[in-house]
Amino acid sequence: MAHQIECGKYTVERIPYAEEQQELVTEDVFIARIAPLQTSRILQFAGKSLPKLDGIEHVKRVKRDTRAGNTNGLLVVLCQCKYLDRSQFDAVVQDTEWADLEILVVKVPSNPPYTSAQFEQWSQVWPVTYRPPLKLKKPEFSSDEKEYVEMCLQAAMQLKSNAADTENRARAVVMGKLQTRKIVAQAADTTSESGHPLRHAVMNCIALVADREVARLTAEPTDDNNTGESNSVPVKRSHELCEDRDVGGYLCEGLDVFAVREPCVMCTMALVHSRIGRLFFVEQSPSGGISRYAMHSHKALNHNFTAFVCHLS
């Protein structure tokens, strides 16, 4: 069961990462039956003469041979079948000390396990390593944080009441900063009023944060020699020294986003590029960036964040 947190009127539930929902996928590898004393030599041979294992570093190279009556034998993974067919493999081991070994083709998990349940299932196919990701730790909110989450969700819902219905995208968005427990920016969808198709609530909210940053930077004092250069710390490092800033090195770095409806794909990508910390939304959308594409945890993207769906208690 998903872990849920009560935040006043709302029940907050973390949306699983894509890896948590992955099914077992296997691929074929060549293995050999060997005696324990042969392990070091055959691994040296494989490292020099066979294609290196690619993308299956989680697969344990050696396991015990559990055949009936075989108490000391081992099975060792030599290489992946996708890089050599059987005739090519036989040509490599021909005229070596391993030419007479019993060679088998077996299946091993293609992807590393992400959860303990996956680890147990994967290990039934072939032993694998497992390192629980830190981000899978159950989220825990302090009482102050719960009040902050409820406040921001209520602000988004209030803003929604004055905004036009946008059918399949967020029509009201609030950005908050956990450290200060305050709202940084809020905006509604204005595509109808402006006639501009990109004036989604998320884009408008990011624009407000950007405008604030421009105003802050242009208001900073310049050097005493009147060269027009700022004496301030460069933007990407200034957040380390200035606690009252609303954002970090990237535009919305670490900010929390509260949306009435799940952001569309375009807006979700904008949130990825802005390096937000967390996303909370009340209404899921089948075409949204999270529900449809799991963009909050997509491996191909250069930033991931935690997403929560919120239900009225």
Side-chain angles (χ1 to χ4, degrees):
M1 180 179 292
H3 185 61
Q4 297 180 336
I5 302 172
E6 298 297 329
C7 297
K9 298 179 180 179
Y10 297 91
T11 300
V12 175
E13 180 180 326
R14 182 180 66 81
I15 296 176
Y17 298 105
E19 295 92 338
E20 293 179 80
Q21 300 175 308
Q22 66 181 345
E23 299 293 334
L24 173 62
V25 178
T26 61
E27 62 180 273
D28 293 336
V29 296
F30 289 110
I31 68 167
R33 295 188 189 277
I34 62 170
L37 292 178
Q38 296 175 305
T39 305
S40 178
R41 297 203 318 277
I42 197 169
L43 288 177
Q44 288 179 359
F45 167 77
K48 293 179 180 178
S49 305
L50 295 171
K52 290 181 171 54
L53 301 185
D54 180 21
I56 58 170
E57 291 77 9
H58 55 281
V59 172
K60 291 189 176 182
R61 202 68 189 260
V62 180
K63 79 166 188 173
R64 289 196 175 278
D65 187 354
T66 55
R67 287 185 304 174
N70 190 345
T71 58
N72 296 318
L74 298 176
L75 299 175
V76 57
V77 176
L78 298 177
C79 72
Q80 292 156 280
C81 295
K82 62 184 178 183
Y83 295 120
L84 290 178
D85 60 27
R86 186 56 189 260
S87 62
Q88 292 172 320
F89 179 88
D90 290 341
V92 173
V93 299
Q94 185 179 359
D95 300 326
T96 71
E97 64 176 305
W98 313 110
D100 295 329
L101 281 181
E102 181 180 1
I103 304 297
L104 304 171
V105 174
V106 301
K107 294 186 180 297
V108 298
S110 297
N111 302 312
Y114 204 75
T115 66
S116 58
Q118 290 172 347
F119 171 65
E120 293 178 5
Q121 181 186 9
W122 273 221
S123 297
Q124 297 299 314
V125 178
W126 185 274
V128 293
T129 59
Y130 175 58
R131 298 178 181 85
L134 290 177
K135 63 182 181 180
L136 284 190
K137 182 180 179 181
K138 288 184 179 180
E140 295 181 359
F141 293 1
S142 66
S143 56
D144 287 346
E145 186 173 0
K146 291 178 180 179
E147 292 177 3
Y148 155 78
V149 169
E150 183 184 22
M151 175 194 72
C152 292
L153 286 171
Q154 287 290 85
M157 295 299 287
Q158 180 61 40
L159 187 60
K160 162 204 169 183
S161 63
N162 300 321
D165 190 358
T166 56
E167 294 183 1
N168 61 351
R169 60 178 182 270
R171 58 182 181 269
V173 169
V174 167
M175 286 189 179
K177 185 176 182 181
L178 175 60
Q179 293 80 355
T180 59
R181 307 289 199 272
K182 70 176 184 180
I183 292 175
V184 172
Q186 53 185 342
D189 184 290
T190 58
T191 52
S192 298
E193 301 93 318
S194 66
H196 198 298
L198 302 183
R199 300 295 188 210
H200 297 197
V202 167
M203 305 301 284
N204 288 342
C205 216
I206 293 175
L208 288 175
V209 175
D211 290 343
R212 182 173 299 176
E213 277 297 281
V214 170
R216 184 188 67 81
L217 292 173
T218 54
E220 289 180 349
T222 58
D223 69 330
D224 296 334
N225 296 323
N226 296 319
T227 60
E229 297 181 356
S230 173
N231 287 327
S232 63
V233 179
V235 174
K236 282 198 174 185
R237 291 190 293 114
S238 61
H239 68 287
E240 298 173 5
L241 304 177
C242 185
E243 295 183 356
D244 61 349
R245 287 197 58 199
D246 289 330
V247 296
Y250 288 87
L251 190 55
C252 299
E253 184 177 352
L255 294 184
D256 293 323
V257 176
F258 300 85
V260 173
R261 186 171 289 155
E262 177 181 349
C264 67
V265 173
M266 177 188 73
C267 290
T268 305
M269 183 57 76
L271 295 176
V272 170
H273 288 314
S274 299
R275 301 295 201 275
I276 68 162
R278 300 180 296 182
L279 169 65
F280 298 80
F281 56 85
V282 178
E283 303 170 9
Q284 289 186 280
S285 170
S287 60
I290 307 299
S291 296
R292 184 166 184 177
Y293 297 106
M295 294 170 66
H296 65 304
S297 61
H298 202 292
K299 289 182 179 180
L301 301 179
N302 58 6
H303 176 67
N304 289 168
F305 55 84
T306 307
F308 297 88
V309 61
C310 309
H311 310 282
L312 276 171
S313 301

